[in-house]
Amino acid sequence: MEINFWDKEIETIDKAALKVLQLKRLKETVSCALKTQFYKPRLKKAGINSADDIKHWEDYKKIPLTTKDDLRECYPNGLLAVDMKDVVRLHTSSGTTGTPTVIYHTKNDINHWAELVARSIVATGATNEDVFQNMMSYGMFTGGLGLHYGAEKVGLTVIPMGGGNTKRQIQLMKDFGSTILHITPSYILHIHSKLGESGVELKDLRLRKAYLGAEPYSENTRKKVEQLFKIDVYNSYGLSEMNGPGVGFECAHKCGMHVWEDTYLLEVIDPKTGESLGEDKEGEIVLTNLTRRATPLLRYRTRDIAAIHKGLCGCKRTHRRISRILGRTDDMLIINGVNVYPSQIEEVIMRIPQVGTNYQIYLEKEGTLDKLVVKVEIYSKMFSGNLAEIDALKSRIVEELRASIIIHPAVELHEPGSLPVFEGKAKRVVDNRVKL
Ligand code: AMP
Ligand code: ZN
């Protein structure tokens, strides 16, 4: 396997040099944080009055954790560390679940972010010969613009289509021979189901790769997309608080996402106790952005659950890898007292070959008990078969789900195209239980 690098020196930096660089950058970030309304009193309270109070690499542990609620409290400028004239862009969250949050960027911040994306996509084998169709939304959501600038830096031909408008997406894929897509897992599955209808077939496309991210998905979904399109799928992880995409990305080896540790100080903690966990242990990812100057963010609790992989990757990059995101500390469902992540349900249904490309999870109250209903689209040819076959399929899905999540679900089989379609992040879970 040919290994390409964008910045070989930094991507293969040895551990000791990495720690020296991290410490230097942490000190710079702390200096910068001390200029903000939010961090100044916080850091002082923790005994950090200047960057000189961070002497050793381990000293990051003195810094208190930052949460999403802290960010909300800071809206709009409690975390702004530079003069507004030095800010070239800002991104806010939608605020649909409360006060929005905002992240400001200087010109250098944007440039460094694009560097991270450039490293990431070159690690998958992307070159200036690729045609890159970016199907992530542009605008406040960081998925679109985030990948855009990195892809241009590497010299790919970028089609900044954004999300939605499936027919046109497919037409553009064909007309310009798109070789790489950046897209959510749910939307790429939808695109596949619309190929025939739009008069375009797989053989008309030159697709080679897809970067899938923005929402959790299982290894089986990756395999399914790879088989359906005959392409390689790479997992891409990011969050707007840490810029956006380019935090973690799979290389050509596809065995976990390298987190760019010269920029992101990576920790995994026990979400209940806050205790730091070792490698290979699942917990909450905590990240410090070591390079952003407009909005410093220290030890940010992402609420994403993953584990750090042990050992070196075959690509020789020294930056450690994390597993796929297994769920979020806040999307965990408690069903009749049992903890279930939606990703566990997806893992099961996507390994069943008759299952199509869309599904939804419904939660309802039945008397005092919770009822879990999993609605699954199956391929239409199943509906022309006999009823016994459909019943058998239903029982199989129920059984496999029960074995995996311990709960006995109701399963409904639906025709392709009958469940709601999502062009951005999918809303897979509908919880109709009354919350007390
Ligand atoms: P946003 O800040 O709106 O971009 O949302 C970021 C969140 O999307 C992350 O904290 C994750 O929960 C989720 N996310 C992003 N990329 C992935 C991925 N590859 N796998 C699973 N979840 C992801
Ligand atoms: Zn690698």
Side-chain angles (χ1 to χ4, degrees):
M1 190 187 291
E2 201 192 331
I3 302 173
N4 301 328
F5 293 95
W6 174 253
D7 185 344
K8 188 166 182 186
E9 198 181 329
I10 195 78
E11 291 174 53
T12 58
I13 187 172
D14 74 54
K15 285 281 160 202
L18 177 64
K19 279 196 161 180
V20 172
L21 181 61
Q22 286 179 325
L23 177 59
K24 175 176 166 284
R25 289 184 167 173
L26 180 65
K27 285 163 89 74
E28 289 165 1
T29 307
V30 164
S31 275
C32 176
L34 282 163
K35 294 184 200 140
T36 66
Q37 285 166 23
F38 173 73
Y39 276 121
K40 196 173 170 188
R42 269 204 156 203
L43 290 176
K44 292 204 160 170
K45 202 167 161 201
I48 303 166
N49 293 294
S50 83
D52 291 339
D53 291 318
I54 303 287
K55 293 193 173 56
H56 310 287
W57 184 81
E58 293 75 19
D59 287 348
Y60 75 84
K61 293 181 186 146
K62 293 187 196 165
I63 301 171
L65 296 163
T66 306
T67 64
K68 181 87 174 174
D69 283 340
D70 292 331
L71 276 190
R72 291 200 174 107
E73 244 174 64
C74 287
Y75 187 84
N77 52 18
L79 272 172
L80 180 61
V82 296
D83 200 290
M84 263 316 257
K85 75 173 172 10
D86 295 322
V87 170
V88 299
R89 198 199 297 168
L90 61 85
H91 283 275
T92 69
S93 69
S94 65
T96 42
T97 52
T99 318
T101 58
V102 56
I103 301 292
Y104 300 96
H105 301 267
T106 65
K107 197 175 238 175
N108 273 343
D109 294 341
I110 294 283
N111 194 35
H112 188 74
W113 179 10
E115 277 289 311
L116 300 180
V117 171
R119 283 184 209 170
S120 304
I121 64 177
V122 168
T124 71
T127 71
N128 59 3
E129 292 186 7
D130 280 299
V131 178
F132 175 68
Q133 192 164 331
N134 194 0
M135 299 195 190
M136 289 286 189
S137 305
Y138 279 70
M140 286 302 200
F141 176 60
T142 52
L145 285 169
L147 256 278
H148 182 101
Y149 285 94
E152 282 190 350
K153 209 176 241 280
V154 179
L156 282 72
T157 306
V158 179
I159 307 179
M161 179 58 192
N165 205 343
T166 307
K167 224 172 146 192
R168 179 131 185 263
Q169 298 276 17
I170 294 174
Q171 193 61 44
L172 292 179
M173 281 162 75
K174 178 177 174 224
D175 294 347
F176 297 102
S178 303
T179 54
I180 305 181
L181 303 184
H182 179 216
I183 183 169
T184 61
S186 40
Y187 194 42
I188 199 169
L189 287 168
H190 179 65
I191 295 249
H192 186 268
S193 69
K194 293 289 169 195
L195 274 183
E197 219 175 273
S198 58
V200 175
E201 290 176 49
L202 214 49
K203 67 171 175 35
D204 303 324
L205 303 178
R206 289 179 56 221
L207 214 54
R208 294 194 301 128
K209 302 183 199 317
Y211 304 146
L212 263 51
E215 64 192 21
Y217 62 106
S218 60
E219 193 55 38
N220 286 330
T221 296
R222 182 223 296 267
K223 288 198 194 111
K224 183 160 199 152
V225 174
E226 291 192 323
Q227 281 159 10
L228 288 174
F229 284 93
K230 302 187 177 57
I231 57 172
D232 284 300
V233 166
Y234 303 88
N235 200 358
S236 155
Y237 170 66
L239 58 159
S240 46
E241 296 87 343
M242 289 294 138
N243 298 344
V247 175
F249 224 93
E250 280 184 326
C251 70
H253 289 258
K254 297 196 280 191
C255 53
M257 298 180 280
H258 289 281
V259 171
W260 299 118
E261 292 186 89
D262 62 307
T263 305
Y264 298 107
L265 194 66
L266 169 67
E267 303 169 65
V268 173
I269 62 165
D270 178 324
K272 284 205 193 83
T273 62
E275 175 206 354
S276 172
L277 298 175
E279 290 175 349
D280 273 348
K281 298 239 166 53
E282 285 171 18
E284 181 178 353
I285 302 273
V286 171
L287 295 166
T288 298
N289 190 317
L290 294 170
T291 61
R292 198 173 54 212
R293 291 294 160 257
T295 318
L297 203 45
L298 302 164
R299 305 193 76 202
Y300 180 67
R301 294 187 66 157
T302 63
R303 302 190 281 188
D304 292 321
I305 305 285
I308 300 176
H309 287 328
K310 262 200 188 117
L312 262 187
C313 180
C315 74
K316 308 260 184 336
R317 284 177 184 82
T318 44
H319 302 245
R320 286 177 302 170
R321 291 158 298 148
I322 52 168
S323 67
R324 74 179 47 255
I325 307 299
L326 304 161
R328 289 181 49 87
T329 51
D330 56 0
D331 81 356
M332 189 180 73
L333 304 168
I334 303 181
I335 307 173
N336 292 325
V338 180
N339 294 351
V340 178
Y341 283 109
S343 57
Q344 289 175 282
I345 296 179
E346 187 194 295
E347 181 75 42
V348 170
I349 55 184
M350 283 300 169
R351 70 178 174 230
I352 297 172
Q354 295 92 332
V355 167
T357 53
N358 204 357
Y359 73 94
Q360 266 201 319
I361 298 166
Y362 278 78
L363 286 161
E364 290 159 10
K365 273 282 180 208
E366 204 174 52
T368 51
L369 286 180
D370 296 332
K371 183 179 176 196
L372 167 66
V373 185
V374 182
K375 301 187 178 185
V376 180
E377 281 185 11
I378 57 171
Y379 288 119
S380 47
K381 57 180 184 291
M382 282 300 295
F383 287 104
S384 49
N386 62 40
L387 267 177
E389 263 177 56
I390 294 186
D391 278 346
L393 175 61
K394 202 163 158 176
S395 308
R396 176 177 168 197
I397 299 174
V398 170
E399 264 322 298
E400 293 200 15
L401 278 172
R402 205 188 46 80
S404 167
I405 60 174
I406 318 178
I407 292 159
H408 196 286
V411 168
E412 285 178 22
L413 303 181
H414 291 260
E415 298 216 26
S418 53
L419 294 177
V421 171
F422 300 94
E423 287 164 348
K425 281 179 197 256
K427 188 168 173 2
R428 297 285 194 202
V429 180
V430 179
D431 194 343
N432 288 328
R433 295 174 296 179
V434 183
K435 294 211 174 70
L436 292 174

